[in-house]
Amino acid sequence: MIRPEDKGLKGKEQMSRPKGSVLVVGGGIAGVQAALDLADSGFYVHLVERSSAIGGSMSQLDKTFPTNDCSACILSPKLVEAGRHLNINLMTLSQVLGVEGEPGNFRVRVRKNPRYVDPEKCIACGTCAQKCPKKVPSEFDLGLGTRKAIYLRYPQAVPLKYAIDADACIYIKKPGRCGFCQKVCPTGAINFEDRPEEITLEVGSVILALGFRPFDPSGLDFTGYGTLKNVVTSMEFERLLSPSGPCMGHMERPSDKKEPEKIAWLQCVGSRDVNRACHGYCSSVCCMYAIKQAVIAREHSESGRLSSSIFFMDMRTHGKGFEAYYERAKREGIDFHRARVHTILPAPNENLRLRYSGEDGEIKEEEFDLVVLSVGLETDPEVMKLCHSLDVELDHDNFVSTSPFTPVATSRPGIFVCGTLAEPKDIPQSVMEASAAACGAGSILHESRWTETRKKEFPPEKNVYAEPPRIGVFVCSCGINIASVVDVEEVTQYARTLPGVVFAQNNLFTCSQDTINQMVETIKKEGLNRVVVASCTPRTHEALFQETLREAGINKFLFEMANIRDQDSWVHQKWPDAATRKAKDLVRMAVAKVRGDEPLPYNHVSVTKRALVIGGGVAGMVSALSLADQGFPVCLVERKDSLGGHARKFYRTWQGRPMQDYLEELVRRVETHPEIDVQLGATIEHVEGSVGQFRTRLSNGFEVEHGVAIVAVGAESFKPRSGPWNYLYGKNPNVHTLLELDQRFIRDDEALKGLSQAVFIHCVGSRVPERPYCSRVCCTHAIDQALKLKELNPEMDIFMLYRDIRTYGKREYIYQEAREKGIVFIRYDLDNLPRVNEQDGNIVVDVIDPIIDREVRLHPDLLVLASAVRPRDDVGELSKLFKCTMTEEGFLLEAHMKLRPVDFATDGVYLAGLCHYPKPVEETISQAQAAASRASLVLSRDAVPAESVTAVVNVMKCTGCAVCTQVCAYHAVTIDKNSGKAVVDTGLCKGCGACVAGCRSDAITIKNLGNEQIMAAVEAAMEE
Amino acid sequence: MEKAKKNQWEPKIIAFLCNWCSYAGADLAGVSRYQYPPSIRIVRVPCSGRVSANMILDALRSGADGVLVSGCHPGDCHYISGNLYARRRFALLERFLEFIGIEPGRVNFSWVSASEGEQFAKVAQEVTERVRRLGPARKLVKEIDSCPA
């Protein structure tokens, strides 16, 4: 019973409206995030993916930096969600052929290539692949392992459906020759007659999220890649580390399967390299992934003797938490060599001898077991072709061109871009841009929100409170997956004997559509009020069966699964009797548990359709406008008397775009927008409520009711008035911070032209013990200022005293330009800081130049300090008001470093801009748009779902000891001031049960997961 | 069946697995067909932080020969910090168990992520072996009939 939501559109009006659907091209993490954001905020999404499964490059990674999260673990839930979403049309094995039309009304031609397997019938049992005689190299494992001609892209693939590789399949090449898969498939899913199909989609906007491909180092003969077996790329090494990779996570080197004991990583292979006709840009992510791999490889080392060396030029650990990760790796004994390896030679035992020149210019040699090439990111030629055919402009590196002020818009209106297709970047940045692109794509279609989406309708639910349990048990054979090991007939017979069970039945495939339909009828006919399905895992199938219950008019929480496939028949193939006994135990446990289940409400919170945006800088203003342009009212609060924030002091972006012109226009738009109410000179005093229904009081007495909040309070620039980083700041008039020099640029200070020498000191107050993070923006900002000074006076001598130059991505080009223009770079480290003194009012800088190993004396008439970006001191109070958390450094902490970069753990509160971490203006803008996109998920709805499985307090037992309030990570439990008892805010509770386990009085429990119920299952396990 | 019991006693072990990592790891063991002894009875809980000392003791009291609690690796918890509470709670419980005379190795704690199917099979194998060596758990079980059938 699926129907499009009817908004009662009348003929003519409907004609002029834009389409309410969006095309997302590319099923990697960026594409999936954009699709989910759009589908959850009222748009129908066509998600087109070239390969047979979504997941992209992230699904190939073993771990992710800087948290060492398992990549598959954090990615899979998102993929499953996208795969099941009613408003996402997942089109795998498909390619976009062309896009015609204009924003709001595009026609897209798509070719669907044949899968040769009917996804409706395939149950992913894998029998076909077992029998398939044709082995080919697995592209997912980059050729290090093999797969069959009929295959799953990877074990957790979404959709979890096999596909036939037509280029490898024996039958397709010569019909009649093989066809084993068709013979053994238990559901008849194989269809050799499948043919390509061309279809036309009508959408309002398009998002390109086509990702990257790793640079192929075969052409770089100095690496020996392709001839020396033990030289691998970083992507190949990810697969070697992965537990689902070709060597099951036992790190083995390709030549002899021996565990390597000495590994070298070579940075910048194919990046920052114009001499060898590679790429001039920096690939941004390689420094961090190399450190990550070095750390993880040690964990994998069974001998425990692994030594890891990283050979690099500049260590670029410029993201949140990255510098601390680097420091930890150094402490843990990873060797970092500032050197570029020029030759890799074969050595005995298939080892490799590296020849490199150290910083002192001396040639050194060292032998390793395995060499990992940290290859950069580049655009796939196929993708370039597609972009050309779509009239989307590429830059000279073949990334999609964007502007700093519209970071996700392409040259063609209505087509947006996100992720590594626009510039190499890490996962959080890609996810952020994905949400920003969703915001852009949704904005132009906002009047057509909910016009093309579908909604599932269910019959009213039967009240089962007064009824004794009438449990139905459905035991699945899963073809032969379960039945070949477990005696399913015996299990079904046994289920009938269990207390409360009135019906039990064995099915060949319980999840097939006809069995599902039959199950609905059975529930009605037998008057069942609780259901157990004994089959596969609830992680993939619970939602499906719960929906079946709802279709039969039963509350979906009156359901349990017994996992007799993944956790029984598949893992005890050699012990059929014991597996059958275990299946009975599992069914008995599920029946015991379901007996105590109660119907739970589908909780909802109605939404106040207004956003509160805190902070009137660029981040706050962009968020406010992005929401207001979609018709959502916004209250924008700024503590100062005017809008603009830090950007007021900022001269231009590194691409040379003047900041003040942009800012003026932004302020004008905010101030004149009918949906934005600006509250100047005000701060936040008090906040109550939760997602959907906040009520906030400002310091000026104004009260605002809002459904969501965006925190964009910015940061401050560090002013080294005293202490070790002082460098005459505030003492000599010719010592400036970066922003102070920017202000002289803004007012066209003629005096700058007359300067003869300028010195910049980098990392002033960053990457030091009291502020151990990198401020990300200063290298680029300082180099751009040096170039500006050169524009004003080409004769000026300029010296940059730096620790590592971190001009990541395309910013690398201004570093190259600076060196071409004769700007001198001198590296210093914390043991040899530059010394700054005054002689007769003139500045004197002494620094040791490590290249010539001599002290150099400089006499600048301008000294610029690239000082740190530091968090604001009052962020702590604000974060407490909204129950958000902070990092040790004092920046605000997002819900998840990788995949939820603009959400807080508190629902309905989002963050953007410098309060999250230092970042340049283009990233601030995309994060602000992303925050608006996430906020629109709530604002576009009349009500938002709340967790049903939540904690409840028995006030008779509660002693008010407050342990529960301390262990709750979501601040969902508080002690009521009047009663002195714990109270749960069900809007905040996630149902994890930490409070239940912590309660010393047994006063708090989780609905349907109480101690009694869990123990009923445990006790049932022990009965025989 | 009776014969098998006499020849090799098969322990029964209750495994409390968190939904997001270890339960998924156990599923992956199945998908990858890693074999392990059929001694483990898995109870799915939202988070290892949901598992209280009482639940572990109750499991032993109901006759379980061993208990396994497994959650996400530190830092991976779906609920931010639940697995860390579990770890702390377990550290305390371990000493209590020793005090009341429960042999070390009967109650086990591990981290298994959603991508560690083989690791889960290995843990299941190891825990089973450990408990098998210890023999049936009778410390917390009241037996009315002391002679087994």
Side-chain angles (χ1 to χ4, degrees):
Chain A
M1 269 174 286
I2 294 170
R3 62 169 182 85
E5 269 177 75
D6 187 7
K7 285 270 175 172
L9 298 177
K10 302 281 177 293
K12 206 180 166 192
E13 199 185 339
Q14 201 165 12
M15 293 298 285
S16 61
R17 271 179 192 267
K19 295 274 180 296
S21 55
V22 179
L23 169 74
V24 177
V25 195
I29 181 61
V32 166
Q33 182 64 51
L36 284 172
D37 270 15
L38 286 163
D40 285 334
S41 60
F43 301 100
Y44 191 77
V45 179
H46 302 277
L47 178 57
V48 171
E49 161 64 33
R50 198 162 43 159
S51 77
S52 63
I54 56 173
S57 301
M58 188 178 170
S59 61
Q60 289 173 285
L61 305 181
D62 173 41
K63 297 277 162 48
T64 59
F65 58 77
T67 49
N68 290 353
D69 271 339
C70 148
S71 190
C73 308
I74 57 176
L75 178 64
S76 282
K78 286 222 180 200
L79 301 183
V80 171
E81 196 185 338
R84 278 190 52 83
H85 207 294
L86 201 57
N87 289 313
I88 297 179
N89 171 27
L90 190 56
M91 301 170 73
T92 46
L93 293 162
S94 300
Q95 285 165 287
V96 171
L97 301 174
V99 175
E100 287 159 34
E102 56 264 4
N105 204 344
F106 287 113
R107 278 170 314 285
V108 186
R109 281 184 306 123
V110 177
R111 184 168 66 221
K112 292 174 83 174
N113 294 312
R115 182 182 276 273
Y116 302 106
V117 175
D118 184 347
E120 299 292 317
K121 292 181 182 164
C122 175
I123 51 156
C125 64
T127 316
C128 52
Q130 269 169 18
K131 290 287 187 270
C132 175
K134 181 75 179 176
K135 266 190 190 173
V136 288
S138 150
E139 45 284 90
F140 191 77
D141 285 336
L142 298 131
L144 293 169
T146 56
R147 63 160 170 84
K148 296 294 183 66
I150 187 163
Y151 68 108
L152 276 180
R153 188 169 150 79
Y154 58 103
Q156 302 96 335
V158 172
L160 196 66
K161 305 290 173 191
Y162 276 77
I164 293 180
D165 175 353
D167 294 334
C169 175
I170 300 170
Y171 183 95
I172 291 174
K173 283 175 157 173
K174 280 200 177 151
R177 280 280 296 277
C178 176
F180 281 136
C181 50
Q182 198 170 35
K183 284 173 206 140
V184 299
C185 177
T187 61
I190 312 292
N191 172 19
F192 288 119
E193 303 312 313
D194 206 357
R195 292 290 171 266
E197 196 186 338
E198 202 177 302
I199 56 167
T200 304
L201 304 171
E202 296 199 337
V203 298
S205 46
V206 177
I207 294 176
L208 302 178
L210 290 143
F212 68 95
R213 70 167 189 188
F215 174 79
D216 176 5
S218 305
L220 297 177
D221 49 7
F222 80 98
T223 63
Y225 179 77
T227 47
L228 302 173
K229 278 186 185 161
N230 292 326
V231 177
V232 299
T233 68
S234 43
M235 205 57 166
E236 289 166 350
F237 192 67
E238 286 288 338
R239 298 310 300 151
L240 291 178
L241 287 176
S242 171
S244 59
C247 46
M248 313 286 184
H250 303 291
M251 192 171 48
E252 289 167 1
R253 63 177 198 168
S255 74
D256 50 10
K257 310 284 169 214
K258 205 186 83 181
E259 185 186 296
E261 292 188 359
K262 213 171 164 206
I263 309 181
W265 278 261
L266 270 50
Q267 297 309 104
C268 301
V269 175
S271 310
R272 300 184 67 191
D273 189 349
V274 280
N275 299 332
R276 295 200 190 90
C278 299
H279 299 303
Y281 56 83
C282 159
S283 290
S284 294
V285 295
C286 328
C287 283
M288 273 308 284
Y289 77 57
I291 304 177
K292 171 201 77 180
Q293 291 186 343
V295 168
I296 301 294
R298 287 202 149 192
E299 288 176 12
H300 281 246
S301 163
E302 280 164 27
S303 67
R305 285 195 302 267
L306 177 68
S307 95
S308 313
S309 301
I310 298 178
F311 292 86
F312 69 101
M313 299 199 287
D314 292 283
M315 189 42 69
R316 294 191 168 169
T317 49
H318 47 266
K320 194 172 186 173
F322 294 5
E323 188 73 15
Y325 197 81
Y326 173 35
E327 288 300 323
R328 209 184 100 197
K330 279 200 269 187
R331 278 200 306 277
E332 289 180 1
I334 310 279
D335 291 322
F336 289 87
H337 300 281
R338 196 180 291 273
R340 200 155 190 175
V341 174
H342 50 74
T343 324
I344 302 177
L345 297 166
N349 303 324
E350 308 216 52
N351 285 357
L352 305 148
R353 201 160 72 243
L354 266 53
R355 192 177 289 167
Y356 61 95
S357 56
E359 217 178 3
D360 50 8
E362 208 178 300
I363 301 290
K364 292 175 187 160
E365 282 197 10
E366 201 174 343
E367 206 174 296
F368 291 89
D369 300 348
L370 182 71
V371 169
V372 181
L373 306 176
S374 294
V375 293
L377 280 50
E378 64 179 19
T379 306
D380 191 315
E382 286 286 310
V383 172
M384 290 177 211
K385 246 193 273 170
L386 176 64
C387 291
H388 287 308
S389 75
L390 300 184
D391 267 336
V392 166
E393 194 185 294
L394 301 179
D395 63 17
H396 69 279
D397 290 315
N398 294 313
F399 293 110
V400 169
S401 305
T402 56
S403 133
F405 302 133
T406 51
V408 293
T410 69
S411 61
R412 182 164 171 192
I415 300 190
F416 299 85
V417 64
C418 58
T420 49
L421 181 58
E423 192 181 6
K425 57 179 67 76
D426 58 12
I427 294 168
Q429 195 65 34
S430 298
V431 171
M432 237 180 250
E433 283 189 2
S435 289
C439 177
S443 286
I444 55 176
L445 313 178
H446 72 92
E447 2 164 11
S448 299
R449 221 184 261 283
W450 305 118
T451 55
E452 293 184 28
T453 48
R454 289 148 182 270
K455 200 176 157 191
K456 198 137 192 176
E457 299 262 308
F458 296 102
E461 277 175 13
K462 193 170 106 176
N463 184 353
V464 301
Y465 259 111
E467 294 180 6
R470 290 182 60 82
I471 305 170
V473 180
F474 296 83
V475 181
C476 187
S477 296
C478 196
I480 57 163
N481 278 290
I482 297 171
S484 67
V485 179
V486 171
D487 186 339
V488 282
E489 205 39 59
E490 192 183 321
V491 174
T492 312
Q493 298 270 4
Y494 175 75
R496 294 196 182 108
T497 67
L498 294 168
V501 175
V502 295
F503 178 87
Q505 175 183 299
N506 169 227
N507 306 98
L508 187 60
F509 293 109
T510 311
C511 61
S512 68
Q513 198 51 53
D514 54 322
T515 313
I516 294 280
N517 295 341
Q518 193 213 333
M519 196 190 281
V520 174
E521 291 314 308
T522 307
I523 292 171
K524 288 182 186 162
K525 199 174 84 209
E526 301 287 333
L528 303 181
N529 56 23
R530 276 161 181 78
V531 171
V532 169
V533 172
S535 62
C536 47
T537 169
R539 291 176 50 258
T540 54
H541 281 69
E542 189 173 51
L544 172 73
F545 293 127
Q546 286 188 325
E547 215 170 274
T548 309
L549 260 68
R550 291 190 71 180
E551 276 170 27
I554 300 291
N555 184 278
K556 74 171 190 180
F557 297 100
L558 299 170
F559 174 77
E560 292 295 328
M561 277 183 88
N563 188 338
I564 61 168
R565 187 185 74 175
D566 303 45
Q567 297 178 359
D568 190 10
S569 71
W570 276 355
V571 289
H572 310 312
Q573 288 166 333
K574 288 177 274 176
W575 304 282
D577 289 347
T580 302
R581 282 203 300 281
K582 178 168 169 178
K584 287 189 200 164
D585 284 0
L586 293 174
V587 169
R588 194 169 57 238
M589 289 162 74
V591 167
K593 167 93 197 325
V594 86
R595 223 166 17 227
D597 279 349
E598 282 174 32
L600 300 181
Y602 306 115
N603 284 339
H604 283 93
V605 179
S606 65
V607 173
T608 310
K609 297 208 173 199
R610 181 181 293 105
L612 175 72
V613 177
I614 307 159
V618 169
M621 286 193 288
V622 171
S623 311
L625 274 174
S626 304
L627 286 170
D629 283 346
Q630 299 182 54
F632 301 121
V634 177
C635 174
L636 177 64
V637 184
E638 164 59 41
R639 68 185 169 136
K640 295 211 171 137
D641 293 327
S642 65
L643 296 172
H646 249 79
R648 289 255 180 231
K649 304 172 192 160
F650 198 64
Y651 173 58
R652 68 178 185 190
T653 71
W654 65 269
Q655 299 93 330
R657 299 281 297 271
M659 193 66 204
Q660 297 310 309
D661 299 356
Y662 167 74
L663 193 63
E664 228 170 84
E665 173 62 15
L666 195 62
V667 171
R668 189 194 61 75
R669 283 194 57 209
V670 168
E671 284 176 340
T672 56
H673 203 295
E675 297 287 4
I676 303 181
D677 168 29
V678 181
Q679 295 283 329
L680 294 173
T683 53
I684 309 296
E685 289 256 297
H686 183 74
V687 182
E688 54 184 46
S690 53
V691 57
Q693 294 177 347
F694 288 105
R695 177 190 283 269
T696 298
R697 195 176 65 239
L698 307 182
S699 57
N700 59 9
F702 189 75
E703 278 211 6
V704 51
E705 286 182 7
H706 53 106
V708 295
I710 296 177
V711 181
V713 293
E716 285 169 0
S717 101
F718 169 62
K719 295 202 170 68
R721 291 190 202 285
S722 60
W725 325 111
N726 172 254
Y727 298 123
L728 297 180
Y729 179 79
K731 292 170 186 140
N732 185 300
N734 297 318
V735 180
H736 300 322
T737 62
L738 293 172
L739 287 178
E740 287 162 0
L741 178 59
D742 261 6
Q743 280 160 285
R744 289 181 71 177
F745 288 146
I746 291 171
R747 54 171 199 266
D748 267 332
D749 190 337
E750 283 294 317
L752 290 170
K753 288 185 183 165
L755 301 177
S756 60
Q757 192 188 80
V759 169
F760 286 77
I761 302 180
H762 288 239
C763 296
V764 174
S766 300
R767 303 178 63 196
V768 295
E770 65 269 32
R771 226 167 282 101
Y773 58 90
C774 164
S775 295
R776 191 172 175 105
V777 293
C778 358
C779 280
T780 308
H781 194 175
I783 292 173
D784 182 58
Q785 287 192 335
L787 287 168
K788 172 70 186 173
L789 289 173
K790 276 277 185 192
E791 281 167 32
L792 294 175
N793 175 8
E795 301 304 310
M796 196 185 303
D797 290 326
I798 302 180
F799 296 89
M800 312 296 282
L801 313 185
Y802 74 101
R803 289 173 61 196
D804 289 277
I805 291 293
R806 293 181 168 175
T807 44
Y808 58 96
K810 300 180 199 169
R811 293 157 194 81
E812 181 70 9
Y813 288 117
I814 68 164
Y815 179 31
Q816 280 163 19
E817 187 188 341
R819 282 175 300 171
E820 280 159 19
K821 293 209 163 137
I823 294 169
V824 179
F825 289 82
I826 301 175
R827 203 178 66 78
Y828 76 90
D829 55 40
L830 277 185
D831 301 327
N832 278 309
L833 291 173
R835 279 168 295 125
V836 178
N837 293 298
E838 210 169 19
Q839 281 179 3
D840 312 322
N842 299 319
I843 307 167
V844 179
V845 180
D846 292 306
V847 63
I848 295 170
D849 185 338
I851 306 280
I852 53 172
D853 196 20
R854 280 244 171 102
E855 187 155 88
V856 181
R857 172 159 286 200
L858 304 168
H859 301 275
D861 31 27
L862 174 69
L863 176 64
V864 187
L865 306 179
S867 67
V869 178
R870 58 181 288 265
R872 274 177 45 190
D873 296 328
D874 54 356
V875 163
E877 280 156 49
L878 187 69
S879 74
K880 263 184 225 148
L881 288 172
F882 281 102
K883 294 167 183 158
C884 308
T885 37
M886 292 198 303
T887 64
E888 271 173 50
E889 290 112 14
F891 291 106
L892 290 168
L893 182 63
E894 58 273 38
H896 190 277
M897 284 263 219
K898 278 284 168 189
L899 296 187
R900 294 181 67 193
V902 298
D903 302 4
F904 279 116
T906 313
D907 285 342
V909 190
Y910 311 91
L911 80 169
L914 297 177
C915 59
H916 161 257
Y917 193 70
K919 57 177 66 67
V921 68
E922 59 273 24
E923 290 172 15
T924 293
I925 292 172
S926 73
Q927 196 180 16
Q929 291 170 339
S933 172
R934 302 293 296 161
S936 71
L937 261 59
V938 174
L939 293 180
S940 62
R941 291 163 187 273
D942 298 328
V944 284
E947 186 69 58
S948 295
V949 181
T950 54
V952 275
V953 179
N954 179 344
V955 286
M956 301 301 287
K957 284 183 174 178
C958 178
T959 58
C961 72
V963 168
C964 47
T965 66
Q966 286 162 22
V967 297
C968 180
Y970 302 95
H971 309 279
V973 205
T974 44
I975 299 292
D976 184 77
K977 279 199 188 96
N978 299 323
S979 67
K981 310 279 187 184
V983 192
V984 178
D985 183 337
T986 48
L988 295 175
C989 178
K990 300 268 186 273
C992 72
C995 54
V996 188
C999 182
R1000 40 186 94 164
S1001 322
D1002 195 22
I1004 195 161
T1005 187
I1006 297 271
K1007 291 176 188 166
N1008 285 356
L1009 267 170
N1011 289 335
E1012 303 78 12
Q1013 245 179 309
I1014 294 179
M1015 290 326 294
V1018 169
E1019 279 160 27
M1022 293 308 144
E1023 294 163 15
E1024 293 265 352
Chain B
M1 191 169 141
E2 283 301 304
K3 224 179 193 177
K5 248 185 189 169
K6 268 177 204 159
N7 288 349
Q8 186 163 33
W9 167 73
E10 195 58 47
K12 251 192 195 179
I13 296 160
I14 292 290
F16 295 106
L17 305 187
C18 87
N19 180 46
W20 305 94
C21 292
S22 296
Y23 192 90
D27 281 346
L28 186 62
V31 173
S32 324
R33 310 295 200 274
Y34 291 118
Q35 304 295 303
Y36 57 85
S39 50
I40 307 267
R41 299 291 175 269
I42 291 169
V43 178
R44 185 166 69 127
V45 289
C47 175
S48 53
R50 170 68 188 85
V51 182
S52 63
N54 255 336
M55 283 161 65
I56 296 171
L57 292 168
D58 271 356
L60 291 172
R61 228 172 33 194
S62 340
D65 300 304
V67 178
L68 167 66
V69 182
S70 188
C72 306
H73 286 272
D76 284 5
C77 181
H78 185 80
Y79 302 104
I80 303 170
S81 54
N83 55 350
L84 303 180
Y85 289 120
R87 176 167 69 178
R88 224 179 288 173
R89 208 171 279 145
F90 185 75
L92 289 172
L93 179 69
E94 222 172 11
R95 293 177 47 195
F96 173 72
L97 290 172
E98 199 187 326
F99 177 76
I100 61 171
I102 303 289
E103 310 90 318
R106 253 205 220 285
V107 178
N108 300 272
F109 196 84
S110 73
W111 317 113
V112 173
S113 83
S115 66
E116 293 176 329
E118 194 188 8
Q119 177 64 16
F120 180 79
K122 213 171 118 198
V123 167
Q125 180 91 42
E126 282 169 6
V127 170
T128 305
E129 281 316 309
R130 210 171 291 151
V131 174
R132 214 202 300 274
R133 274 199 299 275
L134 292 171
R138 287 292 168 261
K139 287 260 155 54
L140 295 180
V141 183
K142 269 189 198 161
E143 283 189 60
I144 297 167
D145 186 354
S146 59
C147 38

